[in-house]
Every structure is written in C-alpha cells, then in structure tokens.
C-alpha cells in the first residue's frame, strides 16, 4: 500500500510540474497586435455638445493595418488598406477575432481640423467588430484553458481517482488531523489542541488536561485549570 501511495503522490506532483511549465501551446484564438492586417466592420456615430443622442455617420468594412506606413508587399496585396489614426489603432489592439468593442474618441484624436466637417467638435462613437485576421505579423500563441481541455481534464481525473484511492485507504486522516490542529489553540507543553488555560492570572498559558494532570501547569506549576472564554 505504501508503494501505491508513493506512486500516486509522485504522479500528481509530476502532472503539476508539467502543467506549470507549459509556455507555448496552440492558440485557441487570435488577437490583434501591431503590424497585423485585419478586416473589421466599423459603425461610426457622432455627438456634438448639446446633442441629446448620437447621429449615425457610417457603416463600413475596413482592411486595417496596425501601424503608420504599411510595407510595400502589404500595399500590393490589399487594395483598400487603411491605417486610420493612432488613437483608433490603440483601441483595437488586443481584440479577439469575432469580438465587438465599443469606444469613444474625440475629433481631436482623429486629427479633424476642418471646421466645415460634420465631425468637427464632435465625439466619435465607434462600434468595431473584428471579423478576420488577414495578416498576422508576429504569431503570438495564446493559451486558454477550458474544463474540457486535455491539460485540465487529464490532471483532474488523476487527482480525482488519486484522492479516492488515498481516502479509501485512510491516508487522508493524518492530513485532516494536522489541519485540525493548525489554527487551533495548542498546549504550551505538548502542542495538542486545547481550549483550557492555566488559572494562574500571571500565567494564562494553554495547557491540555493530560499535561495538567501530571504536575499541574508545566510552566508555573499552578493547580487550577480553566476553560478559555471565547
């Protein structure tokens, strides 16, 4: 039995080490990062000071480059490649494919200086849907665990069956007893749990009834034992 117990404990330890040292696995999703080219759907509404509600401005599909100046090969590959302005690009960084993100920017963020523009002096209210990754500049795998992921499911099953095995064979009892002792008041002499204390006002140390029965209080040799008030 001892060998089986050691085997189960070693197996659980190995699984924890394997899972904790995983650094790169296949991505469960893609995210927007600098240098990428993505296809987005952008709905733009605007609101000027004093307006009670925003007004619709546009609903467009954009092939967006996440940077200032697209490389020539990307310009040649995409006919409608746009860069938008910096504040807009910063807002879509980190989006997941299929995610919608809503944010508000000012006309100053967009660099609108023409006072005849309908967007001048307005808040720009965007709703952006990340539809597709067209070009991933630097593939950066992201790791996301789910309850059915093998790295969760397999260790969970081993932990479950290992726990059942240990409990069925009584190996859990010393651990439970130790946990019960931890956080409990302990005898100053033998460290066993106790709620009794020496009755000597100048002592008041915890003493279990077993130690007290031998010679009174082991610390001051007092002859009175009382229950500690909670």
């Amino acid at each position: 039995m001892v060998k089986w117990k050691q085997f189960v404990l070693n197996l659980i330890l190995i699984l924890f080490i394997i899972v904790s040292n995983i650094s790169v696995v296949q991505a469960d999703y893609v995210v927007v990062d600098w240098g990428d080219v993505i296809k987005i759907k952008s709905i733009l509404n605007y609101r000027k000071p004093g307006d009670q509600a925003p007004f619709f401005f546009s609903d467009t599909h954009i092939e967006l480059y996440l940077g200032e100046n697209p490389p020539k090969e990307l310009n040649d590959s995409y006919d409608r490649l746009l860069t938008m302005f910096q504040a807009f690009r910063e807002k879509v960084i980190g989006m997941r494919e299929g995610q919608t993100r809503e944010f508000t920017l000012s006309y100053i963020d967009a660099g609108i200086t023409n006072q005849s523009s309908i967007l001048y002096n307005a808040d720009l209210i965007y709703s952006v849907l990340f539809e597709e990754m067209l070009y991933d500049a630097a593939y950066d795998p992201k790791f996301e665990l789910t309850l059915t992921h093998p790295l969760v499911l397999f260790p969970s099953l081993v932990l479950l069956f290992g726990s059942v095995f240990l409990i069925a064979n009584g190996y859990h009892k010393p651990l439970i007893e130790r946990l019960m002792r931890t956080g409990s008041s302990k005898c100053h002499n033998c460290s066993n749990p106790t709620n009794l204390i020496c009755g000597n006002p100048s002592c008041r140390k915890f003493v279990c009834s077993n130690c007290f029965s031998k010679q009174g209080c082991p610390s001051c040799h007092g002859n009175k034992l009382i229950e500690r008030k909670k």
Side-chain angles (χ1 to χ4, degrees), residues 15-78:
L15 287 171
F16 272 121
I17 293 174
I18 291 173
V19 173
S20 63
N21 283 277
I22 292 172
S23 58
V24 177
V25 295
Q26 180 63 35
D28 292 317
Y29 55 86
V30 294
V31 297
V32 180
D33 205 348
W34 296 110
D36 294 343
V37 177
I38 61 174
K39 182 179 180 181
I40 63 173
K41 178 181 179 181
S42 174
I43 299 175
L44 172 59
N45 295 287
Y46 68 95
R47 179 169 49 211
K48 294 188 176 183
D51 291 340
Q52 296 298 315
F55 294 91
F56 173 79
F57 183 78
S58 66
D59 183 348
T60 57
H61 290 270
I62 300 172
E63 293 177 351
L64 175 66
Y65 172 69
L66 276 300
E68 288 287 344
N69 301 304
K72 182 179 183 302
E73 59 270 20
L74 293 181
N75 266 328
D76 294 341
S77 300
Y78 303 99

Side-chain angles (χ1 to χ4, degrees), residues 195-199 204-207 224-228:
N195 63 344
L196 302 175
I197 60 175
C198 175
R204 288 290 194 263
K205 291 181 178 178
F206 285 98
V207 184
K224 186 177 181 181
L225 190 65
I226 62 175
E227 185 175 355
R228 183 191 181 192

Side-chain angles (χ1 to χ4, degrees), residues 82-109:
L82 298 178
T83 58
M84 298 295 288
F85 49 94
Q86 178 70 14
F88 182 93
R89 295 194 297 266
E90 290 176 352
K91 289 294 184 180
V92 301
I93 288 292
M95 288 184 67
R96 297 186 186 185
E97 195 170 38
Q99 178 185 0
T100 297
R101 183 175 289 181
E102 298 178 352
F103 52 88
T104 300
L105 300 171
S106 73
Y107 73 102
I108 298 174
D109 294 325

Side-chain angles (χ1 to χ4, degrees), residues 69-164:
N69 301 304
K72 182 179 183 302
E73 59 270 20
L74 293 181
N75 266 328
D76 294 341
S77 300
Y78 303 99
D79 297 331
R80 299 177 296 169
L81 196 61
L82 298 178
T83 58
M84 298 295 288
F85 49 94
Q86 178 70 14
F88 182 93
R89 295 194 297 266
E90 290 176 352
K91 289 294 184 180
V92 301
I93 288 292
M95 288 184 67
R96 297 186 186 185
E97 195 170 38
Q99 178 185 0
T100 297
R101 183 175 289 181
E102 298 178 352
F103 52 88
T104 300
L105 300 171
S106 73
Y107 73 102
I108 298 174
D109 294 325
I112 299 173
T113 57
N114 184 358
Q115 296 186 16
S116 63
S117 170
I118 194 173
L119 298 179
Y120 183 80
N121 199 33
D123 288 330
L124 311 181
I125 305 168
Y126 286 96
S127 177
V128 175
L129 169 63
F130 176 15
E131 293 185 320
E132 182 182 356
M133 175 70 75
L134 300 177
Y135 170 76
D136 198 343
Y139 178 66
D140 183 19
K142 297 290 185 287
F143 182 52
E144 185 174 72
L145 289 176
T146 63
L147 292 178
T148 56
H149 196 289
L151 288 174
V152 173
L153 188 60
F154 179 65
S156 298
L157 290 174
V158 172
L159 288 172
L160 174 62
F161 289 116
S163 299
V164 171

Side-chain angles (χ1 to χ4, degrees), residues 157-202:
L157 290 174
V158 172
L159 288 172
L160 174 62
F161 289 116
S163 299
V164 171
F165 172 81
L166 294 176
I167 292 173
N169 289 275
Y171 294 119
H172 65 293
K173 293 180 180 179
L175 177 61
I176 292 176
E177 291 174 358
R178 184 170 182 176
L179 290 175
M180 290 179 66
R181 288 197 299 268
T182 303
S184 301
S185 301
K186 297 178 181 179
C187 174
H188 186 71
N189 188 54
C190 69
S191 298
N192 284 328
T194 182
N195 63 344
L196 302 175
I197 60 175
C198 175
N200 183 352
S202 62

